[in-house]
């Protein structure tokens, strides 16, 4: 039976979350954005006042289930959850809602208490009374508004996501909620609901966007109706609230926007349109554990780009509004998928929303208190489920580039997805190692495949098998050439003096070394190449290392000219 936690345990637990925030901020900037209307500038989301990029780093908070209440309010006060979201490094929540909550008065008007009684969730009512006494006797519609108000008060940006029509778990092809014309998906009622929601929260400036519908799917889905109704829905929202971003999802469970390559969206407004896609490890079945990981990564990335990420090249922001993993760390399929996904997330620098905040559900799949292993919080919403995972995604919270972030000339950063860290150098006397991307080395990657430290004559050089790589001023031999190989395009390969092929790798101390390249054979399905996966990504951010090397540039010039002139 559920037991209300004591106030002392609550204080201790949220102290832990605050402490984690302090550690995180020391290692990575957390971007907190004061609320204001957001616009799009080509592929970027920007502030209306300054034109500076705002990167959405969101977490999904489920509020579309049978009880029609944001999950976790039986476990923690709503303001405590809102504060924890910011403290964990997120600047945004994708808050889901069921259509009928706003279009069916008989549903929206019942109290939270009655909604829980109807499902026999009496222990949850006890928790609600203890943690959120001001909410338990509100109507479920007013309770939703209270959650939005709490997020806004705590300076969290909010994306309102119409997740489903009939409250319940999503999604299947035959649940009646999948596409226009399905049993519970009347397009005219849907447009009416979008208009109501846009109007209801027009005065809440922290509501910065509306996602019109989650995961369109099922036997009725077709491109013509997608254009017909998604365009009407977008126009209705914009007319009701011209300040919010309009976020459009694709077909086939939001995996496919490829039809946009032949036929653009036709709207009467501009500067507000964002496209969204979803991707999980299970999206591709057991591909990640059954196939060679390099091969699987190449196939999935090609699919994601050709069916979704191409919109960046068309001049629209991409919002990957659902991705996530089993945070227990024991799911091989998820672990391999996420190494690959995180490389793409850093490379393309897109906006995102992690699934999910939820530690446990009031009621799901007939189970009371179902544990959500994809949740960043644990079952009782008291502790972070996997702090190393949050540290890992901290590298993609802040922009690598974009309007307002042109702090220095474009350069490259070497990103290591398995750790979420970047290659850095703490001093000229220490070996290269992994560290926070805010302190990453700035590199140039030349057509000759040399990786050179920006502002110096030093290049990356393979030395000996199993030994740290070196920085050298001799940059014309094979051991200074780094080819991007394998289907994943994430192995950096060079040759030793004896012509042995090696790949960049990481030792147990996070020192950058070279080892024999692994998992290159497509017949090898058990090998995990994660430690050897690196992404060379674009950046315009000044880092501590960049600044330090620029400061010693005159010294390097002197040494190079006087002692190594024959090599440069």
């Amino acid at each position: 039976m559920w037991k209300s936690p004591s106030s002392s345990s609550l204080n201790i637990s949220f102290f832990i979350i605050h402490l984690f925030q302090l550690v995180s901020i020391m290692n990575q900037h957390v971007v907190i954005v004061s609320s204001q209307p957001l616009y799009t500038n080509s592929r970027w989301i920007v502030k209306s006042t300054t034109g500076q990029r705002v990167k959405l780093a969101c977490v999904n908070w489920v509020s579309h289930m049978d009880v029609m209440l944001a999950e976790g309010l039986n476990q923690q006060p709503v303001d405590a959850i809102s504060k924890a979201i910011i403290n964990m490094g997120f600047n945004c929540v994708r808050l889901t809602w069921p259509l009928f909550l706003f279009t069916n008065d008989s549903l929206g008007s019942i109290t939270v208490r009655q909604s829980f009684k109807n499902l026999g969730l009496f222990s949850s009512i006890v928790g609600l009374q203890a943690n959120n006494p001001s909410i338990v006797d509100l109507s479920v519609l007013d309770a939703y508004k209270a959650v939005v108000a709490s997020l806004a008060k705590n300076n969290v940006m909010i994306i309102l996501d119409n997740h489903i029509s009939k409250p319940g778990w999503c999604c299947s092809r035959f649940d009646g909620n999948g596409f226009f014309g399905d049993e519970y998906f009347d397009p005219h009622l849907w447009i009416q609901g979008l208009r109501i929601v846009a109007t209801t929260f027009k005065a809440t400036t922290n509501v910065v966007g509306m996602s019109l519908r989650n995961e369109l799917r099922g036997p009725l889905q077709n491109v013509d109706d997608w254009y017909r109704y998604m365009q009407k829905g977008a126009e209705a929202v914009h007319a009701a609230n011209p300040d919010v971003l309009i976020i459009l999802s694709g077909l086939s469970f939001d995996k496919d926007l490829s039809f946009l390559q032949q036929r653009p969206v036709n709207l009467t407004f501009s500067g507000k349109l964002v496209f969204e896609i979803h991707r999980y490890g299970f999206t591709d079945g057991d591909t990640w554990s059954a196939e060679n990981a390099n091969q699987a990564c190449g196939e999935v990335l090609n699919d994601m780009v050709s069916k979704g990420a191409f919109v960046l090249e068309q001049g629209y922001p991409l919002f990957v509004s659902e991705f996530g993993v089993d945070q227990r760390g024991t799911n091989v399929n998820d672990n391999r998928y996420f190494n690959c996904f995180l490389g793409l997330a850093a490379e393309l620098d897109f906006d995102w929303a992690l699934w999910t905040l939820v530690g446990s559900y009031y009621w799901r799949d007939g189970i009371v208190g179902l544990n959500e292993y994809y949740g960043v919080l644990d079952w009782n919403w008291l502790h972070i489920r996997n702090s190393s995972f949050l540290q890992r995604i901290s590298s993609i919270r802040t922009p690598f580039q974009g309007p307002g972030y042109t702090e220095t000339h474009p350069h490259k950063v070497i990103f290591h997805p398995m750790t979420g860290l970047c290659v850095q150098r703490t001093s000229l006397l220490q070996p290269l190692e992994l560290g926070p991307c805010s302190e990453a080395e700035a590199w140039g990657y030349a057509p000759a495949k040399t990786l050179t430290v920006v502002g110096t004559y030093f290049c990356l050089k393979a030395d000996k098998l199993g030994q740290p790589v070196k920085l050298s001023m001799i940059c014309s031999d094979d051991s200074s050439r780094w080819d991007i190989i394998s289907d994943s395009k994430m192995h950096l390969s060079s040759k030793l003096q004896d012509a042995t092929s090696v790949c960049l790798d990481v030792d147990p101390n996070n020192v950058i070394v070279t080892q024999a390249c692994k998992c290159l054979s497509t017949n090898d399905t058990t090998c995990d190449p994660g430690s050897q996966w690196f992404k060379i990504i674009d950046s315009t951010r000044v880092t501590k290392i960049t600044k330090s090397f620029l400061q010693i540039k005159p010294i390097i010039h002197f040494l190079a000219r006087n002692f190594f002139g024959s090599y440069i």
Side-chain angles (χ1 to χ4, degrees), residues 315-331:
Y316 294 102
L318 177 68
F319 182 40
V320 180
S321 55
E322 285 188 29
F323 71 96
V325 296
D326 183 335
Q327 297 209 16
R328 292 172 294 182
T330 56
N331 187 316

Side-chain angles (χ1 to χ4, degrees), residues 298-311:
E299 292 171 355
V300 170
L301 293 191
N302 288 338
D303 189 68
M304 287 185 68
V305 171
S306 64
K307 293 182 179 178
F310 70 88
V311 301

Side-chain angles (χ1 to χ4, degrees), residues 417-475:
M418 192 177 81
T419 58
L421 301 174
C422 290
V423 176
Q424 68 171 49
R425 188 175 186 82
T426 55
S427 77
L428 287 172
L429 302 178
Q430 299 297 319
L432 291 167
E433 59 187 29
L434 293 177
C437 290
S438 59
E439 301 175 6
E441 201 77 74
W443 301 88
Y445 188 51
K449 305 297 178 66
T450 54
L451 280 162
T452 56
V453 178
V454 170
T456 78
Y457 294 99
F458 289 118
C459 64
L460 189 68
K461 190 179 184 69
D463 185 27
K464 297 177 182 178
L465 189 67
Q467 294 298 308
V469 293
K470 292 185 175 181
L471 291 180
S472 172
M473 292 187 182
I474 303 173
C475 303

Side-chain angles (χ1 to χ4, degrees), residues 61-104:
W61 192 354
V62 173
S63 189
H64 64 270
M65 299 287 279
D66 301 77
V67 295
M68 297 175 288
L69 182 70
E71 299 290 336
L73 300 188
N74 62 330
Q75 305 277 24
Q76 295 292 336
V78 62
D79 275 350
I81 296 173
S82 296
K83 286 180 172 65
I85 289 165
I86 289 291
N87 292 343
M88 289 186 290
F90 302 103
N91 62 13
C92 164
V93 159
R94 181 177 180 249
L95 186 66
T96 65
W97 56 277
L99 179 64
F100 295 168
L101 174 64
F102 287 87
T103 60
N104 186 323

Side-chain angles (χ1 to χ4, degrees), residues 491-521:
H491 280 86
L492 291 175
S493 177
S494 188
K495 292 185 183 294
L496 302 179
Q497 288 186 348
D498 63 2
T500 300
S501 292
V502 292
C503 280
L504 219 57
D505 208 329
V506 182
D507 78 2
N509 297 313
N510 277 353
V511 172
I512 309 301
V513 298
T514 54
Q515 296 286 8
C517 300
K518 59 184 179 181
C519 313
L520 299 186
S521 170

